[in-house]
């Protein structure tokens, strides 16, 4: 990704440090957060300094590598097991996190060097898969396609390129002039803050819309295509993604609009039979009750936007059943969601 004319990855490892774009400040301030230990990287995942399925997968892999580098010879394996538990406890829904921890843990049991190499390899694979997803999704675009996305599944949600936004970037670079409807994605506003910022940086036409505007836009024929990302995909194709994705899938079915999920193989959980088995993260009330942003002088404030005495319920993800999904845009092409296709894709 290009920010202020410089190429960045969302997250990378330098020596024993993990560096990441601090997503908490965006779009108002751009800074790099440096984590010097696996505990700090785990904290950054929990507090969403780094977020998005692929990016937290890479972060979790780097955190395991940090744990291996810091673990003493005596009690090495116990330290690794403890680190793996700590990192896995940060966020329960995105499968990439668990996939990376297990892969780097296995490598770390061979040597510290193998742990670092595996974490770097996973981050590089993440970039390659996201670029390939762009190519797989490109044929869905013709001139001036109007696409709706939800949450942020762009550069920031992966190590680079992203998933749902990857075909959109390619379509734009091929002068197909896509237009993107960006759902704000309450409560945290990943669409309004992050996707809008990414599209602005890439010079792609877009409008941010309130989340509850989608049905009306679809009824007016103003949305040609929906593409979202995914946090975990079960064996039967049921898909967990940011809360509100299910609403969009139901509406797309009603209005006969194709609804695609873009995700790499590392997001498919072969041990999860269906959507009911996907753990859904419940996050803090403050995400619903408060909003943070700068005033006109640039001073940051957090203000209440909900009656402070009212109780809140804040599940971060919902599950879209596979029968509402037109196809998965993957690094190996587009696949129709059913158990057989998914199993073939994962064993390829
Ligand atoms: O809670 P987040 O911001 O980490 O949620 C992840 C997401 O941004 C979306 O659910 C996204 O579509 C999946 S990540 C490509």
């Amino acid at each position: 990704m290009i920010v202020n004319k410089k190429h960045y990855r969302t997250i990378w490892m330098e020596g024993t440090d993990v560096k990441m774009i601090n997503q908490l400040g965006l779009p108002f301030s751009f800074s790099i957060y440096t984590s010097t230990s696996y505990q700090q990287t785990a904290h950054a995942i929990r507090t969403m300094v780094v977020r998005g399925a692929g990016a937290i997968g890479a972060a979790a892999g780097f955190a395991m590598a940090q744990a291996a580098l810091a673990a003493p010879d005596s009690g090495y394996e116990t330290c690794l097991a403890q680190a793996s538990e700590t990192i896995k406890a940060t966020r329960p829904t995105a499968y990439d996190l668990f996939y990376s921890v297990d892969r780097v843990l296995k490598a770390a049991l061979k040597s510290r060097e193998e742990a670092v190499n595996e974490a770097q390899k996973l981050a590089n694979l993440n970039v390659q898969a996201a670029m390939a997803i762009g190519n797989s999704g490109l044929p869905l675009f013709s001139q001036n396609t109007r696409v709706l996305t939800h949450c942020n599944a762009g550069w920031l949600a992966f190590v680079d390129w992203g998933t749902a936004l990857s075909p959109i970037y390619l379509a734009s670079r091929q002068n197909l002039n896509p237009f993107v409807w960006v759902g704000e994605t309450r409560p945290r506003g990943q669409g309004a803050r992050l996707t809008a910022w990414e599209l602005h940086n890439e010079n792609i036409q877009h409008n941010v819309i309130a989340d509850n505007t989608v049905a009306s836009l679809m009824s007016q024929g103003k949305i040609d295509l929906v593409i979202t990302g995914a946090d975990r995909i079960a064996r039967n194709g049921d898909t967990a993604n940011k809360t509100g994705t299910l609403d969009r899938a139901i509406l797309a079915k009603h209005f006969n609009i194709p609804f695609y999920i873009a995700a790499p193989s590392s997001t498919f959980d072969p041990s999860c039979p269906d959507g009911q088995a996907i753990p859904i993260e419940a996050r803090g009330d403050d995400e619903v009750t408060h909003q943070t942003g700068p005033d006109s002088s640039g001073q940051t404030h957090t203000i209440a936007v909900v009656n402070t005495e009212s109780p809140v319920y804040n599940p971060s993800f919902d599950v879209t059943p596979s029968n509402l999904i037109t196809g998965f845009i993957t690094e190996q092409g587009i696949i129709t969601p059913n158990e057989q296709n998914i199993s073939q894709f994962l064993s390829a």
Side-chain angles (χ1 to χ4, degrees), residues 23 45 48 50-56 91 94 96 149-154 156-158 162-164 185 188 190 194-195 228-232 240-243 245 262-264 267 281 283 287 316-317:
Q23 300 195 35
I45 296 172
M48 294 171 80
V50 59
R51 51 139 299 282
I56 63 176
R91 297 201 63 196
D96 286 73
T149 190
H150 189 57
C151 197
N152 172 260
L156 293 162
F158 270 70
T163 49
T185 324
R188 284 187 76 93
Q190 290 95 327
L194 305 176
T195 301
T228 77
D231 290 88
R232 188 184 299 231
N241 194 52
K242 185 55 58 189
T243 187
T245 303
T267 305
E281 177 179 14
R283 292 190 61 87
E287 290 187 348
S316 200
F317 303 95

Side-chain angles (χ1 to χ4, degrees), residues 145-164:
T145 298
R146 298 155 305 171
V147 57
L148 170 75
T149 190
H150 189 57
C151 197
N152 172 260
W155 301 328
L156 293 162
F158 270 70
V159 177
D160 203 359
W161 282 91
T163 49

Side-chain angles (χ1 to χ4, degrees), residues 12-347:
W12 67 98
M13 191 167 182
E14 270 178 31
T16 55
D17 290 348
V18 177
K19 303 206 169 213
M20 59 197 90
I21 292 176
N22 185 345
Q23 300 195 35
L24 295 176
L26 292 173
F28 309 112
S29 71
F30 179 82
S31 63
I32 302 301
Y33 175 89
T34 300
S35 154
T36 57
S37 66
Y38 87 79
Q39 291 93 338
Q40 257 181 31
T41 307
H43 184 73
I45 296 172
R46 189 176 312 108
T47 56
M48 294 171 80
V49 172
V50 59
R51 51 139 299 282
I56 63 176
F62 287 141
M64 269 315 296
Q66 282 180 306
L69 291 175
D73 286 343
S74 81
Y76 181 71
E77 290 192 11
T78 314
C79 287
L80 291 181
Q82 200 171 25
S84 139
E85 255 177 56
T86 304
I87 300 161
K88 284 184 173 179
T90 52
R91 297 201 63 196
T93 304
Y95 182 64
D96 286 73
L97 184 147
F98 298 85
Y99 175 84
S100 295
V101 169
D102 288 341
R103 279 193 51 166
V104 179
L105 173 60
K106 200 168 155 205
L109 291 172
K110 293 182 200 146
S111 74
R112 295 181 177 90
E113 196 190 355
E114 295 241 10
V116 175
N117 289 344
E118 184 70 1
Q120 298 282 18
K121 183 173 149 195
L122 284 173
N124 291 335
L125 284 174
N126 179 302
V127 178
Q128 285 166 23
M131 283 173 74
I133 283 171
N135 281 313
S136 301
L138 186 62
L140 300 174
F141 287 79
S142 45
Q143 202 68 38
N144 304 325
T145 298
R146 298 155 305 171
V147 57
L148 170 75
T149 190
H150 189 57
C151 197
N152 172 260
W155 301 328
L156 293 162
F158 270 70
V159 177
D160 203 359
W161 282 91
T163 49
L165 294 198
S166 185
I168 298 174
Y169 294 142
L170 273 190
S172 166
R173 288 176 191 193
Q174 302 212 354
N175 298 320
L176 289 173
N177 194 33
F179 177 88
V180 189
W181 294 108
V182 180
E184 59 178 345
T185 324
R186 276 282 282 152
R188 284 187 76 93
Q190 290 95 327
R193 289 167 184 258
L194 305 176
T195 301
W197 181 76
E198 286 189 14
L199 292 171
H200 174 76
N201 271 283
E202 192 73 19
N203 230 341
I204 295 177
Q205 284 191 80
H206 62 282
N207 278 177
V208 178
I209 50 170
D211 285 328
N212 43 11
T213 306
V214 171
S216 162
L217 288 175
M218 286 185 174
S219 75
Q220 294 170 58
K222 291 184 173 170
I223 297 176
D224 304 312
L225 173 67
V226 185
I227 309 181
T228 77
D231 290 88
R232 188 184 299 231
I233 302 171
R235 275 204 310 266
N236 71 344
D238 292 352
T239 298
N241 194 52
K242 185 55 58 189
T243 187
T245 303
L246 174 59
D247 309 36
R248 278 132 190 80
I250 294 169
L251 288 169
K253 186 78 155 185
H254 179 79
F255 288 107
N256 208 13
I257 295 167
F259 178 92
Y260 286 91
I261 297 275
S265 53
S266 53
T267 305
F268 288 74
D269 179 359
S271 69
C272 181
D274 56 36
Q276 283 195 342
I278 300 178
I280 299 296
E281 177 179 14
R283 292 190 61 87
D285 295 1
D286 57 316
E287 290 187 348
V288 175
T289 57
H290 289 73
Q291 291 277 286
T292 300
D295 63 20
S296 53
S297 67
Q299 189 85 20
T300 298
H301 302 277
T302 297
I303 58 162
V305 292
V306 168
N307 175 41
T308 45
E309 273 86 44
S310 293
V312 162
Y313 177 49
N314 183 21
S316 200
F317 303 95
D318 59 24
V319 175
T320 299
S322 80
N323 65 357
L324 295 179
I325 299 166
T326 311
F328 292 114
I329 308 172
T330 76
E331 68 270 43
Q332 290 172 36
I334 295 183
I335 59 176
T336 309
N338 65 48
E339 192 137 3
Q340 202 190 348
N341 289 347
I342 291 172
S343 134
Q344 263 173 17
F345 161 64
L346 292 180
S347 57

